[in-house]
Amino acid sequence: SQQGEEDPQALSIQEGENATMNCSYKTSINNLQWYRQNSGRGLVHLILIRSNEREKHSGRLRVTLDTSKKSSSLLITASRAADTASYFCATDVYNQGGKLIFGQGTELSVKP
Amino acid sequence: DVKVTQSSRYLVKRTGEKVFLECVQDMDHENMFWYRQDPGLGLRLIYFSYDVKMKEKGDIPEGYSVSREKKERFSLILESASTNQTSMYLCASSLVQERQQYFGPGTRLTVT
């Protein structure tokens, strides 16, 4: 399996519900980042969590990091139709000079 | 706001043509990256650059070359385009100390 595997591959929820996406990785990291991509567009950075942090919040986003399990989760609370997008985790691997390794992404669909 | 621009949103080329994809960033970032994105495969790193005239191979450099003559500009070159290079190409840049990457809107290249 690859560094930065995401689960689930696709998620469909109703507006107002919470959405949780998970990411697992294999090697030591400096930080883990989450990005969002609207259909056919570039990626937009959402949040970065450092290897010595366990939880981070940004608006309706909550990210957790468990380095012992090599996993992270992204929670979007009170989802909106505008949150419909693909979400990617990316690991900034230790000693790789800033290269990121991206997961394959979770496709989130929020129905109004 | 950081702006990363790519020369074309859509491009159609014939097999065997030489193709240039241009990327420009306006925030004096040291690092620049070229990825390709394919369904089911996520983002894969083609080449990256830490500084002017410096380049390093990513995970899938075969069939590609790059050029970085000025800090703000990073070009991806397909020496002889082939149909298996039909893909979405994404450029990104980052500051060494910040680690998050800023992406351009992408170029959807079709090789016929």
Side-chain angles (χ1 to χ4, degrees):
Chain A
S1 57
Q2 297 179 39
Q3 178 90 343
E5 287 194 346
E6 297 189 52
D7 166 52
Q9 291 188 348
L11 182 60
S12 182
I13 58 174
Q14 296 292 130
E15 239 181 355
E17 293 180 341
N18 295 341
T20 300
M21 290 159 259
N22 303 296
C23 171
S24 61
Y25 60 92
K26 290 184 167 180
T27 59
S28 295
I29 60 172
N30 294 311
N31 62 72
L32 186 143
Q33 303 176 31
W34 286 89
Y35 288 80
R36 166 196 169 124
Q37 184 181 36
N38 287 77
S39 181
R41 308 295 297 184
L43 278 71
V44 175
H45 181 264
L46 294 176
I47 196 165
L48 180 154
I49 186 164
R50 301 190 192 287
S51 60
N52 60 354
E53 297 176 311
R54 292 296 165 258
E55 188 170 313
K56 202 161 183 181
H57 295 254
S58 176
R60 293 184 295 113
L61 304 181
R62 174 179 167 250
V63 170
T64 61
L65 179 65
D66 186 336
T67 52
S68 66
K69 294 181 179 177
K70 291 187 168 54
S71 68
S72 174
S73 66
L74 171 68
L75 169 67
I76 304 174
T77 59
S79 63
R80 307 166 181 166
D83 294 329
T84 294
S86 294
Y87 292 82
F88 295 86
C89 70
T91 47
D92 181 351
V93 177
Y94 180 72
N95 228 19
Q96 290 293 305
K99 286 195 301 181
L100 296 179
I101 301 176
F102 285 84
Q104 294 186 13
T106 293
E107 202 171 310
L108 174 66
S109 173
V110 182
K111 299 187 186 314
Chain B
D1 272 356
V2 176
K3 195 165 184 184
V4 180
T5 57
Q6 294 184 229
S7 48
S8 306
R9 289 284 287 125
Y10 299 95
L11 207 52
V12 180
K13 294 292 181 181
R14 294 196 180 275
T15 301
E17 279 192 82
K18 191 167 186 176
V19 181
F20 293 87
L21 302 182
E22 301 280 328
C23 176
V24 178
Q25 49 94 3
D26 66 357
M27 283 300 290
D28 206 35
H29 286 177
E30 299 94 349
N31 298 339
M32 295 189 76
F33 307 84
W34 274 107
Y35 298 90
R36 65 176 281 176
Q37 184 178 24
D38 301 286
L41 296 176
L43 273 78
R44 293 179 291 168
L45 182 64
I46 304 171
Y47 268 98
F48 60 103
S49 170
Y50 291 132
D51 202 349
V52 176
K53 297 193 187 296
M54 288 186 60
K55 60 184 179 184
E56 291 205 26
K57 293 179 180 179
D59 300 318
I60 50 164
E62 297 79 18
Y64 303 94
S65 62
V66 290
S67 172
R68 193 165 180 201
E69 296 296 319
K70 293 185 178 181
K71 191 173 186 179
E72 68 270 20
R73 188 179 298 268
F74 192 34
S75 303
L76 180 69
I77 303 151
L78 286 65
E79 295 290 342
S80 177
S82 63
T83 54
N84 63 11
Q85 292 178 310
T86 292
S87 186
M88 170 73 115
Y89 289 87
L90 293 162
C91 173
S93 69
S94 71
L95 281 170
V96 168
Q97 65 268 31
E98 238 189 33
R99 312 301 271 206
Q100 72 182 69
Q101 293 185 10
Y102 297 84
F103 281 80
T107 295
R108 188 166 293 281
L109 173 67
T110 302
V111 182
T112 61

